[in-house]
Amino acid sequence: MKTLKAMTLEDLFVHELKDIYHAEKQLVKALPKLAKASSSADLRSGFEQHLEETKGQVERLEQVFRSLEIAARGVKCEAMEGLIEEGGEVLDGDFDDNVRDAALIAAAQKVEHYEIATYGTLACFAKQLGHVEAERLLRETLEEEKATDLKLSQLAESEINLEAALGD
Ligand code: FE
Ligand code: FE
Ligand code: FE
C-alpha cells in the first residue's frame, strides 16, 4: 500500500476515482464467473445484466476523467481485490446449488455496498469541488449500484434463501 502525501480534497477525489476505476475493471472480469456459477436463472441473468451495466460504468468513469481533463488511470483497489478473492472461495467451495446461490448473493452485495459507499462519497466530493458534470455522472452510477443491491435482496428474500434453507 502507498502512503498518500499532501492530499488536497481535489487530490483525494482524483485518487478515489482512480481506485473505483480499477475496482470496476476488476468486476468486469469477475462478474462472468459469478454468472457462470449461478444455478438460479434469475440470479445468472441478474449478474449478466450487471456485467453490461458495469462495462457502462467503466466508460462513464472515463467520461468523468475527460470532464476533469485528466488521463483515465487506475490505482489498485485492494479492497475490491479482497472482496473478489473472498467471492472466489464461494466458486471453489463445496456447496449445494441453492446454498451456493445464497453465498454468491452475499458476496455480490458486499461488492455493491463498497461501490455505493464510494460513489456516494465521490458524488459529494464532486459537488463540493464544483465538478457539476462529474457529479451528475457519478450519481447515475450510484443509482445503478443501489438498484442492483435492491434486486439482489429481493431475489434472496423471494426465492434463493428459501430454497437454500430447504436443501436439495
Ligand atoms: Fe459498479
Ligand atoms: Fe478501493
Ligand atoms: Fe455494481
Side-chain angles (χ1 to χ4, degrees):
M1 233 181 306
K2 275 185 313 207
T3 308
L4 303 174
K5 285 187 202 138
M7 299 283 281
T8 62
L9 186 63
E10 184 75 38
D11 294 336
L12 180 61
F13 173 63
V14 171
H15 176 76
E16 290 288 325
L17 268 180
K18 290 179 172 175
D19 179 283
I20 197 70
Y21 184 56
H22 187 270
E24 294 285 15
K25 286 181 149 184
Q26 290 187 66
L27 288 168
V28 168
K29 288 185 214 152
L31 280 163
K33 295 179 195 163
L34 300 186
K36 217 179 134 206
S38 303
S39 298
S40 152
D42 289 339
L43 183 57
R44 186 175 325 114
S45 72
F47 282 134
E48 283 165 356
Q49 195 197 320
H50 198 50
L51 170 63
E52 291 315 305
E53 251 169 13
T54 300
K55 290 177 187 168
Q57 292 170 355
V58 169
E59 283 171 25
R60 201 175 283 135
L61 283 169
E62 287 164 358
Q63 270 177 271
V64 172
F65 284 115
R66 230 175 291 134
S67 78
L68 301 167
E69 296 179 342
I70 54 176
R73 255 197 49 223
V75 293
K76 187 167 171 188
C77 177
E78 313 263 5
M80 191 57 74
E81 198 174 67
L83 288 171
I84 290 172
E85 208 176 286
E86 264 193 23
E89 293 172 5
V90 178
L91 302 182
D92 298 337
D94 179 22
F95 288 90
D96 281 347
D97 287 351
N98 295 327
V99 178
R100 181 183 291 99
D101 280 358
L104 290 171
I105 292 179
Q109 285 193 284
K110 290 181 192 189
V111 167
E112 294 314 311
H113 281 239
Y114 180 83
E115 293 182 300
I116 290 165
T118 303
Y119 281 108
T121 298
L122 279 168
C124 287
F125 284 172
K127 183 180 173 144
Q128 182 63 45
L129 294 164
H131 298 310
V132 177
E133 173 71 353
E135 186 197 355
R136 186 187 65 75
L137 292 161
L138 292 163
R139 286 201 190 281
E140 255 183 74
T141 297
L142 177 61
E143 291 313 312
E144 285 178 358
E145 309 294 22
K146 284 185 185 169
T148 300
D149 181 55
L150 186 65
K151 230 169 75 180
L152 288 166
S153 286
Q154 285 167 346
L155 209 53
E157 288 171 37
S158 69
E159 61 173 89
I160 306 249
N161 289 353
L162 179 68
E163 284 163 15
L166 291 175
D168 277 334

